[in-house]
Amino acid sequence: YADSIAPAGTADWNSHKPDNNATGLARLAHDGGTVLLVYGAIGSINYAHSISAGLPNIGIDQLEAEWEGCEIASGAFYDYTQIAVYDGRPMFAFQLKSGGYNDLNFGYADGITSTDWTVFSVDATEPNSGNTVRMVLDSVGRPCLAYQNIDITSYLRFAHATTATPASSSDFDRITVWQASQTHIGNWLGLGLYDNRPLMSFVNTGSAAEEGLQMACATTEAPAGNGDFDIAITDPGGTYF
């Protein structure tokens, strides 16, 4: 973290290791003065939060000094982690890789310091579900997810929870925003909200006249199908990243 809002060089930054066992896929959020992390380790996905108010002290290794944490879930591999917090409840989304089939998963805890997490699969409709997942929270804390499902056909998907504390996949309304054969339609996703309506930017790289950087803007706060999205090419030359 930086010492000011305008760091001028490396001397203006503090760095340390909350956990020496992390392998990557880390994402960060904050709740007031508390820093929240979700990250991958070998065979698990983990959560950690800073203990004291304000930023953690520099020079501290491992969780026990300035950080507390726990394992959220275990499995073969994890990818595409996301974290957010609303009203003191940390939430996360990630893709679980296991046995060649990938599921989109979601979880949350009742509080920052909780070690009891609700975790479940949101979407497993294709062999590769949940690629490039992105997450934002609407104005009342309900998670919104944009992601890609891939088989021979590539699907750009959107899922909106009907409650701020979903307990199973049935608490998510899931729709296909766009699909195409043999393309990367959902790669390099961006997700946000405008007037509580979801907006997505994405790249289509395999549909000839429809290739390029695209934007999908929902016409309602709770879209029920792809007809509730206005979709347009913003740059026909837009490609990766």
Side-chain angles (χ1 to χ4, degrees), residues 86-87 89-91 106-111 118 120 137 140-143 161-168 171-172:
Y86 182 85
D87 194 26
R89 296 192 307 273
M91 308 180 191
F106 173 81
Y108 72 94
D110 291 333
T118 299
F120 56 89
L137 306 181
V140 291
R142 296 174 298 191
T162 57
T163 171
T165 54
S168 70
D171 290 325
F172 279 87

Side-chain angles (χ1 to χ4, degrees), residues 87-213:
D87 194 26
R89 296 192 307 273
M91 308 180 191
F92 71 97
F94 67 98
Q95 184 189 60
L96 168 62
K97 298 186 177 183
S98 179
Y101 291 89
N102 305 332
D103 295 355
L104 174 63
N105 285 255
F106 173 81
Y108 72 94
D110 291 333
I112 299 298
T113 62
S114 176
T115 58
D116 185 14
W117 291 76
T118 299
V119 184
F120 56 89
S121 173
V122 174
D123 196 336
T125 56
E126 301 295 335
N128 290 289
S129 298
N131 285 31
T132 334
V133 63
R134 301 290 184 261
M135 178 174 67
V136 296
L137 306 181
D138 70 10
S139 60
V140 291
R142 296 174 298 191
C144 302
L145 307 175
Y147 56 98
Q148 182 184 22
N149 285 3
I150 307 172
D151 193 6
I152 295 175
T153 299
S154 184
Y155 302 87
L156 177 59
R157 302 272 282 170
F158 176 74
H160 188 187
T162 57
T163 171
T165 54
S168 70
S169 60
S170 62
D171 290 325
F172 279 87
D173 291 331
R174 294 167 295 172
I175 62 174
T176 296
V177 178
W178 205 341
Q179 67 185 68
S181 179
Q182 298 289 3
T183 186
H184 296 90
I185 202 166
N187 276 3
W188 306 287
L189 271 174
L191 174 65
L193 295 173
Y194 177 75
D195 283 345
N196 222 33
R197 293 176 290 147
L199 302 91
M200 286 175 279
S201 60
F202 61 99
V203 173
N204 185 349
T205 62
S207 296
E210 295 178 346
E211 287 188 355
L213 176 64

